[in-house]
Amino acid sequence: SLYVSSEGSYRYDFSGIDINTFGSIDGPDTLSVSGGLSVGVYNYKITDLVSTCVMENPVIIEDDAPFSLSANNLPDCDIGANLSLTVSGVALPSAVNIYISNLSYDTVYAENNLYVPLSITPELDSGFYYVTVEEIGDSGPCIQSDTVLITPLIAGINDCQTEIFAPNAFSPNGNSQNEKFFVYPNLFVDQFEIFIYTRWGEQIYYSNDKNFSWDGTYNGQIMGPATYAYVIKFSHIEKPDLGIQTQYGSISLIK
């Protein structure tokens, strides 16, 4: 549903992959669309019939899935990618299908059977897109969606991002959900190292593989519930003159 808070007469357009409907509404009032809509991204467009002003609002209908999708713009840094996708949650899918469509709901990019964490290199024109991730599994596909605005590179304003996304908790308790800690290095990461420490400064994990995964063990034993500090050191493919970058953070081990 969508609430129109102002007085006046309006036209509404509601569209998506399996619906395209319109009508009129006098505000203030609540507009509802029903009819067993499938999971996906839809769009409300409200037009003021007097001023002709238009307001648009994407609407995402999702499954009750134990994971979520975040789509973010990456500046075009001449390496063939301008979109970053992050799948996070308490139970990550092992493999997914990806679909990206434009405002006309035409699919402009698709890839099947990709392993999580994701790595794709779509070359998208500037504009607004709908991104959908479909879990591959025996119990039926869970679908999560997001929207993203792709913008061109503006030197000094939105230069290539160097920070590496990392979750803040994991749960190595044997229930097959969120069992390991790993990060989502963007496509610009070259050299990579991660160090994990206890609160007393003892190093309990090290890797120089940006696709590492830590199962919470040290010397063959699972560590106790606590918050552990990490240090990530990495270099940037497009900005080698920056040298080695250092990023600090923490990860909570939950049982």
Side-chain angles (χ1 to χ4, degrees):
S1 63
L2 181 70
Y3 178 63
V4 178
S5 60
S6 302
E7 294 186 356
S9 297
Y10 303 88
R11 170 193 167 99
Y12 70 85
D13 294 85
F14 184 79
S15 56
I17 297 175
D18 53 4
I19 189 172
N20 193 336
T21 186
F22 63 91
S24 60
I25 182 175
D26 293 325
D29 199 357
T30 299
L31 172 64
S32 298
V33 174
S34 59
L37 299 176
S38 59
V39 172
V41 183
Y42 298 84
N43 190 60
Y44 266 122
K45 182 168 72 172
I46 305 295
T47 304
D48 189 318
L49 296 179
V50 176
S51 67
T52 68
C53 290
V54 176
M55 182 196 74
E56 293 194 62
N57 185 46
V59 177
I60 299 175
I61 298 178
E62 298 181 326
D63 288 317
D64 185 16
F67 66 92
S68 61
L69 168 70
S70 176
N72 297 287
N73 173 69
L74 291 175
D76 184 359
C77 293
D78 299 325
I79 64 169
N82 47 18
L83 175 67
S84 167
L85 298 183
T86 300
V87 175
S88 58
V90 297
L92 300 180
S94 58
V96 297
N97 299 324
I98 296 175
Y99 308 99
I100 302 175
S101 58
N102 57 23
L103 285 175
S104 300
Y105 301 98
D106 298 322
T107 300
V108 297
Y109 182 91
E111 251 189 278
N112 295 325
N113 201 28
L114 293 177
Y115 293 105
V116 177
L118 299 172
S119 178
I120 63 173
T121 55
E123 297 182 47
L124 302 174
D125 295 332
S126 297
F128 194 83
Y129 294 91
Y130 304 127
V131 183
T132 297
V133 164
E134 177 185 71
E135 180 183 13
I136 301 172
D138 296 334
S139 59
C142 285
I143 296 175
Q144 297 287 274
S145 301
D146 199 7
T147 58
V148 63
L149 176 64
I150 299 297
T151 57
L153 171 67
I154 303 176
I157 297 179
N158 63 346
D159 291 334
C160 300
Q161 301 180 21
T162 57
E163 186 174 2
I164 295 175
F165 175 79
N168 57 16
F170 74 124
S171 179
N173 56 13
N175 67 355
S176 301
Q177 296 183 356
N178 201 23
E179 292 284 336
K180 296 183 179 181
F181 168 57
F182 52 85
V183 301
Y184 299 85
N186 61 41
L187 298 171
F188 315 127
V189 172
D190 187 13
Q191 300 178 61
F192 176 92
E193 288 183 296
I194 184 169
F195 307 81
I196 300 178
Y197 303 90
T198 67
R199 67 180 66 185
W200 300 281
E202 180 185 8
Q203 182 180 320
I204 56 174
Y205 184 80
Y206 167 80
S207 178
N208 59 6
D209 181 359
K210 62 184 178 181
N211 296 312
F212 80 96
S213 61
W214 180 45
D215 60 4
T217 62
Y218 176 56
N219 287 337
Q221 300 293 321
I222 294 182
M223 302 296 291
T227 298
Y228 298 89
Y230 64 77
V231 178
I232 296 175
K233 296 184 177 183
F234 63 97
S235 62
H236 195 292
I237 292 175
E238 293 296 316
K239 299 180 180 180
D241 54 306
L242 294 178
I244 300 298
Q245 306 289 297
T246 302
Q247 179 177 326
Y248 300 92
S250 62
I251 178 71
S252 294
L253 191 157
I254 302 171
K255 290 186 177 181

